[in-house]
Amino acid sequence: MYKTINNKKIYFHNFENIDANKRSLLFIPGAGLDYRYVRALKFDDTIFNPPLVIDLPGHGKSEGTGLDSIEEYSQFIIDALKDWNFNNLHIFGHSMGGLIGLDLLNKLQISIKTFVMISSIYPIRVADSLLDAAKSANSMSADFIIKYGVHKRLIGMKNVFPEDKDMLMFDDLTACNNYHTDLSAIRNSLVPIIIINGDKDKLINKKHEMEFLNVTCAKKIEMKDVGHFPFFEDPNTLSDIIAVEITN
């Protein structure tokens, strides 16, 4: 379904199927990604609504252009959710989406039961070589991310990244690089925080991961033989982990 936000048509994936009596899982995509990245996730439909995604401006089926900062993206999510009343909302941020989710926690404008960062950490410092690739073309940054981020060989992986949208990957990666927040405020949050990272993820800085865990007291779950994209590399195990954590 679509809604108009700031005069742009925005795509809301699976929102027409929401049952207020079930748990709702909202997934915030990583840089350049869109609703397609959750298609392989499977949950018990007697407990969970189908996976929800709001395509960010300029991403997937949404109109507009990418935004300049993580703070703008999180405010966009807040604006997009204004017309929905969730009794049991759990937010999952993949990579860049993890930073957007952190900023949502700081803004305290959405009632969240659980916040889960997947293949994400704070801070995210993007390599200059990746930024240079993204400045040249979306496809070149996709090649870099696939080379270093994907552990298992996946056919057609490049198709999930944008090719025809000007500088979208560069804008998203720059937003990640420029984001700063106070983790001490996150530590005092009453919302449980979980990190799910792959043990073969070369895009996650392990030092930053340890520092984040120490400051926030987040729970860490490590997926075996998985890189930066568990949604594609091992969606069944990821689905099982999420279901267990959210129903506990």
Side-chain angles (χ1 to χ4, degrees), residues 19-30:
D19 181 339
N21 295 315
K22 296 179 182 179
R23 293 174 173 85
S24 292
L25 313 178
L26 175 65
F27 292 84
I28 305 176

Side-chain angles (χ1 to χ4, degrees), residues 92-125:
F92 300 78
H94 172 246
S95 196
M96 178 183 80
L99 298 184
I100 298 172
L102 277 180
D103 206 61
L104 287 174
L105 284 185
N106 278 336
K107 287 183 167 129
L108 299 174
Q109 295 183 40
I110 298 176
S111 178
I112 304 170
K113 295 291 186 182
T114 314
F115 172 54
V116 183
M117 302 176 76
I118 302 175
S119 304
S120 185
I121 201 62
Y122 173 83
I124 292 179
R125 296 291 173 255

Side-chain angles (χ1 to χ4, degrees), residues 63-217:
E63 293 180 343
T65 57
L67 303 180
D68 292 333
S69 69
I70 296 300
E71 292 88 346
E72 287 184 271
Y73 276 130
S74 70
Q75 186 58 52
F76 165 80
I77 295 293
I78 290 170
D79 294 340
L81 292 176
K82 281 182 179 177
D83 293 337
W84 273 274
N85 293 315
F86 292 97
N87 297 323
N88 205 324
L89 177 64
H90 307 263
I91 289 185
F92 300 78
H94 172 246
S95 196
M96 178 183 80
L99 298 184
I100 298 172
L102 277 180
D103 206 61
L104 287 174
L105 284 185
N106 278 336
K107 287 183 167 129
L108 299 174
Q109 295 183 40
I110 298 176
S111 178
I112 304 170
K113 295 291 186 182
T114 314
F115 172 54
V116 183
M117 302 176 76
I118 302 175
S119 304
S120 185
I121 201 62
Y122 173 83
I124 292 179
R125 296 291 173 255
V126 182
D128 289 341
S129 52
L130 176 52
L131 288 173
D132 290 341
K135 191 179 294 185
S136 299
N138 288 324
S139 60
M140 291 185 66
S141 60
D143 288 338
F144 184 106
I145 291 170
I146 291 170
K147 178 180 179 179
Y148 292 101
V150 178
H151 175 63
K152 298 178 180 178
R153 185 172 181 271
L154 299 171
I155 297 174
M157 181 70 194
K158 195 170 180 179
N159 294 333
V160 303
F161 289 95
E163 291 188 6
D164 58 347
K165 302 203 173 182
D166 294 343
M167 302 293 285
L168 183 61
M169 289 296 294
F170 179 76
D171 290 343
D172 281 356
L173 293 170
T174 301
C176 291
N177 220 23
N178 292 341
Y179 180 63
H180 299 279
T181 191
D182 181 4
L183 287 183
S184 62
I186 301 295
R187 183 187 182 102
N188 296 326
S189 171
L190 298 178
V191 178
I193 301 173
I194 302 170
I195 294 177
I196 303 174
N197 286 337
D199 66 340
K200 305 299 184 183
D201 189 347
K202 297 178 182 178
L203 299 180
I204 292 291
N205 184 303
K206 298 301 182 183
K207 178 183 176 182
H208 291 163
E209 179 187 66
M210 184 59 67
E211 291 171 349
F212 182 89
L213 291 170
N214 288 337
V215 173
T216 64
C217 298

